[in-house]
Amino acid sequence: MATSSTSSATTKTNILTTLGAGSGIDTKALAESLVEAERAPKKERIDAKIAKTEARISGYGTLRFALSELKTAFAALNDARDFQSLQVANTQPSAVSVTAGSAAMAGSLNLQVTQLAAARQVTTGGFTSRSTSLNGGSAFELSLSVNGGTAKTIPVATDTPEGMANAINAAGLGLSAQVVNTGSSVQVVVTGQQGVANTYTLAARTTGGAAIAGLDFNTQLQAAADAKFSLNGIDIVRSNNTVTDVLDGVTLELNTVTTGAARIDLRRDASALKKNFQALVTAYNTFEEAAKAMASRTKSDDEDDTITGSLSGDSLLQSIRSQVRGYVTGNSSSPGTTVIAARNVGLTLDRDGKMVLDEKRFNEAVASNFSEVVKVFTGNANDQSLYSPAPGGVAGDAFKGIDQMIRATGTIAAQTEMANEQLKKYKEDLTKLETRMTAVMERYTRQFTAMDSLVGEATATRNRLKSTFDAWTKSS
């Protein structure tokens, strides 16, 4: 304001001096000086608002990015499968495949497979072609009985080998059929499901119930059998070669009979899991560092720094920082008995708010309470919906909460939109100011031009009178 007053006083002095001197006035310069004196303080206030709002928008963008990186770090720990850290050592991997899930326990196994599960497989006699008529062009039926149970009917609309195979496959009764070309004829091979309990009989008959000559399934290619194996000396029988119910979290895929016993070692390897925890530490500290800078009351002297102080006093920033901090310091929504929070796995905040991982505590928790660690971070869930109200554990809840913050309809997007609207208004105010100052400039120019004309006329009159008086004086 002092600058404006000084400029205005100087302008008035210039006008008076010019008039007193009786010389022509630079009306354009005078008008520009007066307009600038009025424009400058108003423009400065609007420019300051624009700069502050642009800094807020930039700050929200930085906040959203930092939260996105943090969400990614939590995503690596929010599914139970993310904790599948058992390494499998297998002396006969071609005979048996072993997969360990998150519920599996470390240990050693001796596995001997003596028999694989098999499905009963039968075939028809040979036919001339795939389209040979089997019932004189009429539809017929197949009667299926599984393990001596009640017979079920499979209707065959097209009485050819191909039509019969298609009907078996479409029935959904646990059988599959293929038309096999032997070179000299075609046969229909029918396969059931694995296991002795799934043995079956199949017979063809007309819709009237009579047997169809030349069409039977009496040639057995393979008998139904159960899988037989022993685990640490315990004999086990299963109807399928994929075994998931013997050991918690362990899937056995029996491929062939083993040579003696296969040695299976399940060892806990926490190195990959630890990397995910360390990545979370890095992402959290990056977020917190950016948040502190944006919340700073002091603007950076670096002209290229658009972040420091950009969200100073912003309540949304403080709310988000508090919420994120709560995810890692509060108790889990799915606590265990011994492990109830991230701190019990070694994740803590130091006096400066920086996250640290106590590797000793981490190793102890993983070694002695692994299942509780999984539960605390994931709620024992996989692929939990972002909209699920079920407890998601530390990482699951944080993932869902941060997603709400950064999504297109989230709180940060809403604040950014409001800031953009304010920015638009301030720029409109700047345009209105320039329009108004242009009108003021035109008014001053007209006024000073008229004043300059009057001064010019007065000067001319003065000069004429002076010349007349001078002439009188000489004549006297």
Side-chain angles (χ1 to χ4, degrees), residues 336-400:
T337 302
T338 303
V339 181
I340 63 174
R343 60 182 175 274
N344 300 125
V345 192
L347 287 178
T348 57
L349 302 183
D350 64 16
R351 60 187 301 174
D352 297 321
K354 184 177 180 180
M355 182 183 285
V356 293
L357 175 63
D358 185 330
E359 294 193 12
K360 180 180 179 182
R361 182 177 293 182
F362 171 84
N363 292 333
E364 290 175 351
V366 170
S368 58
N369 293 290
F370 184 75
S371 61
E372 289 196 4
V373 172
V374 177
K375 181 183 179 183
V376 161
F377 274 84
T378 71
N380 285 333
N382 282 310
D383 303 318
Q384 191 177 88
S385 169
L386 289 169
Y387 305 99
S388 172
V394 172
D397 292 343
F399 182 85
K400 289 187 286 188

Side-chain angles (χ1 to χ4, degrees), residues 12-325:
K12 292 178 181 179
T13 301
N14 288 339
I15 293 173
L16 293 174
T17 302
T18 302
L19 289 173
S23 59
I25 299 175
D26 186 350
T27 56
K28 181 179 179 181
L30 287 173
E32 288 177 345
S33 297
L34 290 173
V35 169
E36 185 59 26
E38 184 175 348
R39 175 200 287 118
K42 297 177 180 178
K43 184 175 184 299
E44 185 178 347
R45 286 193 295 271
I46 297 174
D47 285 341
K49 292 179 181 179
I50 289 176
K52 184 177 181 179
T53 305
E54 287 178 338
R56 281 179 60 206
I57 294 171
S58 179
Y60 287 138
T62 300
L63 178 61
R64 196 171 185 178
F65 176 78
L67 283 170
S68 177
E69 294 294 296
L70 187 57
K71 176 188 171 184
T72 299
F74 276 117
L77 295 168
N78 72 333
D79 287 329
R81 72 169 70 91
D82 296 327
F83 290 75
Q84 293 178 357
S85 59
L86 279 181
Q87 299 296 312
V88 179
N90 183 356
T91 60
Q92 297 187 44
S94 61
V96 57
S97 174
V98 182
T99 304
S102 60
M105 302 297 292
S108 297
L109 310 169
N110 287 317
L111 174 65
Q112 184 171 4
V113 181
T114 56
Q115 178 177 295
L116 294 180
R120 183 172 194 248
Q121 194 172 71
V122 297
T123 184
T124 64
F127 305 107
T128 303
S129 70
R130 301 171 67 93
S131 58
T132 297
S133 177
L134 304 178
N135 190 37
S138 299
F140 63 94
E141 299 173 344
L142 296 176
S143 177
L144 170 66
S145 176
V146 179
N147 200 25
T150 303
K152 297 180 180 180
T153 299
I154 301 175
V156 180
T158 304
D159 74 325
T160 64
E162 184 174 43
M164 181 172 64
N166 291 339
I168 292 172
N169 291 330
L173 296 177
L175 299 183
S176 62
Q178 291 179 308
V179 178
V180 179
N181 187 343
T182 66
S184 59
S185 65
V186 298
Q187 296 173 244
V188 178
V189 177
V190 180
T191 306
Q193 295 179 318
Q194 292 178 344
V196 171
N198 291 312
T199 192
Y200 63 90
T201 59
L202 193 63
R205 65 191 182 192
T206 65
T207 54
I212 298 176
L215 179 56
D216 61 61
F217 301 88
N218 296 330
T219 302
Q220 179 172 278
L221 303 179
Q222 178 177 275
D226 288 331
K228 296 181 179 180
F229 58 98
S230 64
L231 194 63
N232 288 348
I234 302 173
D235 291 332
I236 301 172
V237 177
R238 289 291 185 273
S239 63
N240 199 286
N241 290 320
T242 300
V243 182
T244 60
D245 60 350
V246 172
L247 294 170
D248 289 343
V250 176
T251 298
L252 303 175
E253 194 71 47
L254 310 182
N255 302 317
T256 64
V257 172
T258 59
T259 303
R263 173 78 175 188
I264 311 294
D265 290 316
L266 304 177
R267 299 189 182 95
R268 184 74 63 195
D269 179 9
S271 59
L273 182 60
K274 185 181 293 184
K275 288 181 180 179
N276 288 341
F277 272 77
Q278 291 169 334
L280 174 61
V281 170
T282 299
Y284 180 88
N285 289 336
T286 299
F287 158 76
E288 184 61 19
E289 182 179 352
K292 281 184 178 180
M294 288 183 283
S296 174
R297 297 285 181 181
T298 305
K299 183 72 175 115
S300 173
D301 293 331
D302 184 357
E303 294 182 357
D304 295 328
D305 181 6
T306 60
I307 302 303
T308 303
S310 59
L311 296 179
S312 176
D314 190 289
S315 59
L316 174 61
L317 173 61
Q318 300 307 321
S319 174
I320 288 176
R321 288 180 70 186
S322 177
Q323 189 172 344
V324 170
R325 190 180 301 114

